[in-house]
């Protein structure tokens, strides 16, 4: 019985933390205005509440993007998927040199606080890796993964 109650509590908590919200109902006008100004070509926009922040998941062209805003409309960070072969050459060289036996599974370009970095998911044996690089191919230890 305790296990069932714990399971129910966890389900309720997860629903209230990561809520999909309708643009017309839950996103402040200041956030909507800032978003439309920064990403005028955005299509298929879906919003999700992340604690006190709002995350937009959308497409520009055929590329997936995410943007994170505070309640006042300040853009905190955004990321976009990178197509195969779109990583900067320095990162590609660093992967070939330092991660032999791994291949790039997924890559994103992330902009936060005016700085650009790259999240790369590497497939390998026995484990996959999540590595964050700067544009020069330097690994950023302790960088947040989004």
């Amino acid at each position: 019985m305790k296990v069932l109650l714990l399971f129910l509590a966890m389900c309720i908590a997860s629903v209230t933390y990561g809520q999909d919200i309708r643009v017309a109902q839950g996103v402040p006008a200041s956030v909507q205005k800032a978003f439309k100004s920064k990403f005028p070509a955005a299509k298929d926009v879906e919003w999700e509440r992340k604690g006190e922040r709002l995350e937009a998941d959308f497409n520009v062209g055929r590329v997936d993007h995410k943007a994170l805003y505070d309640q006042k409309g300040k853009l905190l960070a955004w990321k976009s998927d990178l197509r195969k072969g779109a990583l900067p050459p320095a990162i590609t060289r660093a992967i070939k040199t330092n991660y032999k036996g791994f291949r790039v599974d997924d890559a994103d370009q992330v902009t936060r606080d005016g700085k650009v970095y790259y999240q790369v998911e590497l497939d390998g044996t026995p484990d996959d890796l999540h590595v964050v690089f700067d544009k020069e191919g330097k690994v950023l230890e302790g960088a947040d993964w989004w």
Side-chain angles (χ1 to χ4, degrees):
M1 184 66 171
K2 288 181 183 179
V3 173
L4 179 61
L5 289 174
L6 179 61
F7 177 74
L8 289 173
M10 289 172 49
C11 288
I12 292 169
S14 68
V15 168
T16 58
Y17 180 75
Q19 294 179 336
D20 285 342
I21 53 180
R22 291 191 176 137
V23 174
Q25 293 180 345
V27 179
S30 58
V31 175
Q32 290 183 46
K33 182 178 177 183
F35 176 79
K36 287 178 184 177
S37 174
K38 180 69 178 175
F39 305 102
K43 303 284 186 212
D44 303 322
V45 181
E46 294 180 10
W47 290 92
E48 186 176 340
R49 191 170 299 282
K50 300 284 187 175
E52 292 297 314
R53 299 174 178 176
L54 297 162
E55 182 181 83
D57 189 352
F58 59 99
N59 294 315
V60 174
R62 293 187 322 211
V63 178
D64 292 333
H65 290 72
K66 287 189 179 190
L68 190 63
Y69 286 87
D70 69 10
Q71 292 287 325
K72 295 180 181 179
K74 179 182 177 191
L75 178 61
L76 303 171
W78 79 89
K79 73 176 179 175
S80 61
D81 283 348
L82 292 176
R83 297 179 194 271
K84 186 173 179 149
L87 282 169
I91 296 173
T92 302
R93 284 191 300 275
I95 291 169
K96 287 181 182 177
T97 302
N98 300 318
Y99 299 94
K100 290 179 174 34
F102 287 86
R103 69 171 184 81
V104 175
D105 180 46
D106 188 37
D108 297 306
Q109 178 178 314
V110 179
T111 303
R112 182 178 287 151
D113 298 326
K115 297 178 184 168
V116 176
Y117 60 95
Y118 300 84
Q119 297 181 158
V120 182
E121 184 178 337
L122 299 170
D123 278 349
T125 303
D127 296 314
D128 296 341
L129 297 175
H130 290 105
V131 185
V132 179
F133 295 93
D134 67 11
K135 66 181 177 182
E136 285 82 31
K138 179 183 173 194
V139 175
L140 302 175
E141 298 292 338
D144 289 335
W145 184 271
W146 178 21

